[in-house]
Amino acid sequence: MVTPAVKREAVAHLKAHLGLSERRACEIAGADRKMVCYQSQRAPDTALRGRLRDLANERRRFGYRRLFVLLRREGEASGINRIYRLYREEGLTVRKRKARRKAIGTRAPILIEARANARWSLDFVHDQFACGRRFRVLNVVDDVTRECLAAIPDTSIFGRRVARELTALIERRGKPGMIVSDNGTELTSNAILKWCAEHKVEWHYIAPGKPMQNGFVESFNGRMRDELLNETLFRNLAHARDLIAAWVTDYNTARPHSALGYQTPQASP
């Protein structure tokens, strides 16, 4: 028995079940009578607790740090320690899903120029509709700003479709210095090789079986799966397109990003 709460419970047990006086129960439990009789004078924080619960229900996979950032945006002056205490007392702790085994070894930083469009990363993430039919999402991420440049869901995406989407993206945003991807058949097709030659874009393929070499988009895929795909039952392709587009907009403009000092990708310098 170490914490005050445990000692109070022990004293209450001795009084209720053994009929001991409070003085004798405190002596046995090693508790101070003032501590046992203490009544908290803290304010109930009813409004703050309610808002914290509402945010946690809206952002089911957000921990207390991101919820703290959202509350600060709304003008809440409480410190992070107070928010963490209320977060724990309200039972809002996010249940961790089983993580993959992580590779053990040294990590070397990837050297890229700190500017937008210095490097893009591409990868696919898969899911299925309520009927069981599978679909995939082509994700394109700016490795420096962490912004999601495109998230394109469809039941089938071939190399020519990837090339068309990249062409449209370049027209809107400009040409990247480099594109990084794995060795999937869609991304090593003749259509992609021809596109690279025509647009004079350097395309780097990671080593087979080394997804950590494409860590930026892999991290984004994890956030998308945790916060959207695992939380949503998609009725059809149109429904998936609407929800994914809304989530990407929120990711770029509202969701605090820990790697950017809890700023959003579009707000970061």
Side-chain angles (χ1 to χ4, degrees):
M1 294 182 296
V2 179
T3 65
V6 174
K7 291 183 178 181
R8 289 192 199 100
E9 292 178 2
V11 170
H13 175 80
L14 292 173
K15 290 170 61 179
H17 295 275
L18 300 182
L20 299 181
S21 67
E22 183 178 281
R23 186 186 301 275
R24 181 58 178 157
C26 287
E27 290 178 359
I28 295 175
D32 191 310
R33 291 187 66 192
K34 292 181 180 179
M35 177 192 70
V36 173
C37 298
Y38 174 76
Q39 298 293 327
S40 176
Q41 301 299 315
R42 283 175 174 164
D45 296 319
T46 305
L48 180 55
R49 289 174 185 269
R51 183 55 184 152
L52 186 60
R53 286 196 301 270
D54 291 342
L55 283 175
N57 289 330
E58 294 172 10
R59 310 277 189 162
R60 289 163 48 87
R61 302 302 299 173
F62 275 22
Y64 74 93
R65 290 185 179 88
R66 285 195 172 89
L67 294 176
F68 167 72
V69 173
L70 297 180
L71 287 170
R72 273 294 171 89
R73 289 180 186 171
E74 297 178 358
E76 175 57 48
S78 299
I80 192 169
N81 291 336
R82 184 185 186 192
I83 298 301
Y84 178 64
R85 175 175 60 80
L86 298 179
Y87 176 83
R88 292 291 299 271
E89 291 176 0
E90 292 297 316
L92 302 176
T93 305
V94 177
R95 184 178 179 181
K96 292 184 178 180
R97 296 191 171 104
K98 187 177 180 180
R100 299 178 181 177
R101 292 182 59 189
K102 296 183 179 179
I104 300 176
T106 59
R107 293 287 188 269
I110 300 174
L111 301 178
I112 57 175
E113 188 178 354
R115 62 174 179 82
N117 285 353
R119 191 175 71 182
W120 296 353
S121 294
L122 275 71
D123 199 15
F124 290 95
V125 63
H126 299 76
D127 203 60
Q128 62 183 18
F129 302 123
C131 63
R133 186 181 183 185
R134 297 187 64 81
F135 71 96
R136 60 199 325 210
V137 185
L138 171 64
N139 288 327
V140 185
V141 175
D142 189 308
D143 291 355
V144 175
T145 66
R146 305 296 204 278
E147 182 180 357
C148 176
L149 307 180
I152 303 153
D154 212 330
T155 53
S156 180
I157 301 177
F158 296 102
R160 289 190 296 273
R161 172 72 180 281
V162 175
R164 290 199 304 270
E165 297 293 346
L166 289 175
T167 300
L169 187 56
I170 286 177
E171 291 175 355
R172 296 197 308 268
R173 186 179 175 89
K175 188 167 68 173
M178 177 188 293
I179 293 179
V180 181
S181 75
D182 59 20
N183 297 270
T185 54
E186 305 87 353
L187 305 176
T188 57
S189 62
N190 289 330
I192 293 298
L193 298 178
K194 181 181 178 182
W195 182 88
C196 291
E198 292 176 350
H199 291 80
K200 298 180 180 179
V201 173
E202 180 182 358
W203 197 296
H204 174 75
Y205 293 101
I206 65 174
K210 300 290 184 180
M212 68 285 294
Q213 295 180 3
N214 203 17
F216 293 105
V217 73
E218 290 287 349
S219 175
F220 175 81
N221 288 349
R223 300 285 74 72
M224 173 180 278
R225 182 164 299 284
D226 186 48
E227 298 175 12
L228 176 67
L229 302 183
N230 288 346
E231 298 289 315
T232 309
L233 187 63
F234 300 103
R235 296 191 300 270
N236 48 46
L237 184 57
H239 185 224
R241 284 172 173 163
D242 290 342
L243 293 185
I244 289 173
W247 184 84
V248 168
T249 299
D250 178 81
Y251 180 91
N252 288 334
T253 61
R255 181 188 184 276
H257 200 302
S258 58
L260 302 174
Y262 290 98
Q263 297 185 58
T264 64
Q266 289 190 355
S268 61

